[in-house]
Amino acid sequence: MLGAIIGDIVGSRFEFNNTRKRDFRMFTKECEFTDDTVCTVAVADAIAKGINYRDSLLNWCNRYPHPKGGYGASFAHWLASDNPQPYNSFGNGSAMRVAPVAWAFDDLQEVKRQAKKTASVTHNHPEGIKGAVAVAHGIYVLRKTHDLKCLRDAMLQYYPTFVDVQPTGAFDETCQGTVPLCLKVVVSSTSFEDAIRNAISCGGDSDTIGAIVGSMAEAIWDIPGTIIDTAFDYLPVDMLNAINDFFHFLNNRKHA
């Protein structure tokens, strides 16, 4: 989950001003958290507090109605609705917020079931659900095996040609355009920082590519403490508290 937040913050300044270079400064004053972080924290908070994903997303996103880059038009309409309903989206928003479920549950089938639930409150199109399930499945495999070959083999059932994907720099907000690229980045990287740099240098929807890649990279490589500390400086107190509560939940579950 921290990897998703870090990737989002690092990629935030490049979302509408892409870079194809890898030697950029990871953190600058132009960096901020975006909707990717807000939604990821909302999913984590729902799990820690035992509330439903819909209510937590509504709570957190209305608490932060104007994050850097804003919300997608359909999601913003969902937030403002008197009776928010799924809107058949296959946008990559379902994949960027799903990371907490892959850490919170120790059975793969339950991880996939929960991933579908996080997506379905908004992104109930089959491709939107598949994107969320694939990313959660990928994180789960990596945290259990720490083996990129296992990830590669597992992801072929979702995106059979992902290993052949090449970044074009096009801005693509769909799951089917984003998730295969993120998988290719992860299996082609050698460390957490390398993965983030490779993700951002793809261009396109930089913050979300960074978030999805970061969420998976965290599960196989250690995140340097200096990167975590720097990222936390960009977050408000209520988000830091929610993250802390989520890690308490994980720790309590481990010792239950």
Side-chain angles (χ1 to χ4, degrees):
M1 164 174 148
L2 297 182
I5 293 170
I6 291 164
D8 174 47
I9 293 170
V10 173
S12 63
R13 69 187 179 104
F14 297 114
E15 181 179 12
F16 302 113
N17 184 27
N18 287 169
T19 184
R20 301 306 293 272
K21 299 179 179 179
R22 296 186 70 262
D23 60 348
F24 55 85
R25 289 179 59 196
M26 289 187 70
F27 297 101
T28 74
K29 64 182 180 181
E30 287 81 27
C31 293
E32 297 180 39
F33 67 85
T34 80
D35 60 315
D36 299 43
T37 291
V38 180
C39 292
T40 299
V41 169
V43 169
D45 202 37
I47 294 169
K49 292 181 178 175
I51 61 178
N52 68 66
Y53 297 118
R54 173 183 174 274
D55 288 351
S56 192
L57 284 165
L58 288 167
N59 174 28
W60 279 94
C61 294
N62 281 306
R63 194 183 304 186
Y64 291 95
H66 304 293
K68 186 178 179 69
Y71 295 104
S74 296
F75 188 82
H77 180 75
W78 180 82
L79 284 175
S81 173
D82 291 334
N83 183 27
Q85 296 296 316
Y87 48 91
N88 202 39
S89 175
F90 49 78
N92 55 25
S94 63
M96 57 76 164
R97 69 193 188 207
V98 74
V101 304
W103 296 93
F105 303 96
D106 270 333
D107 174 76
L108 177 58
Q109 293 309 311
E110 184 63 11
V111 166
K112 292 164 72 172
R113 190 178 77 85
Q114 293 293 331
K116 181 177 180 179
K117 287 179 67 175
T118 68
S120 296
V121 294
T122 51
H123 295 55
N124 59 330
H125 187 283
E127 290 291 343
I129 292 170
K130 182 171 78 170
V133 171
V135 171
H137 187 168
I139 296 168
Y140 180 86
V141 166
L142 288 174
R143 80 177 184 88
K144 292 294 186 179
T145 70
H146 295 89
D147 188 333
L148 287 175
K149 184 180 184 303
C150 290
L151 173 69
R152 186 183 297 110
D153 292 345
M155 293 299 101
L156 290 174
Q157 67 183 282
Y158 300 100
Y159 303 103
T161 61
F162 84 86
V163 293
D164 299 318
V165 171
Q166 297 297 325
T168 66
F171 196 92
D172 188 335
E173 294 182 296
T174 68
C175 273
Q176 54 268 48
T178 304
V179 177
L181 174 61
C182 292
L183 293 170
K184 174 63 178 293
V185 169
V186 174
V187 300
S188 303
S189 298
T190 58
S191 69
F192 181 82
E193 182 173 340
D194 185 54
I196 295 297
R197 291 188 179 280
N198 289 338
I200 305 308
S201 65
C202 287
D205 192 3
S206 296
D207 61 323
T208 298
I209 295 172
I212 296 171
V213 167
S215 71
M216 290 188 284
E218 175 187 11
I220 187 169
W221 296 295
D222 290 336
I223 306 176
T226 54
I227 291 180
I228 295 174
D229 291 344
T230 303
F232 278 2
D233 287 340
Y234 288 86
L235 300 180
V237 171
D238 59 348
M239 287 191 185
L240 294 173
N241 288 340
I243 292 168
N244 187 57
D245 289 345
F246 181 70
F247 281 103
H248 274 302
F249 168 86
L250 295 183
N251 188 59
N252 289 339
R253 184 209 61 194
K254 186 184 301 184
H255 293 97

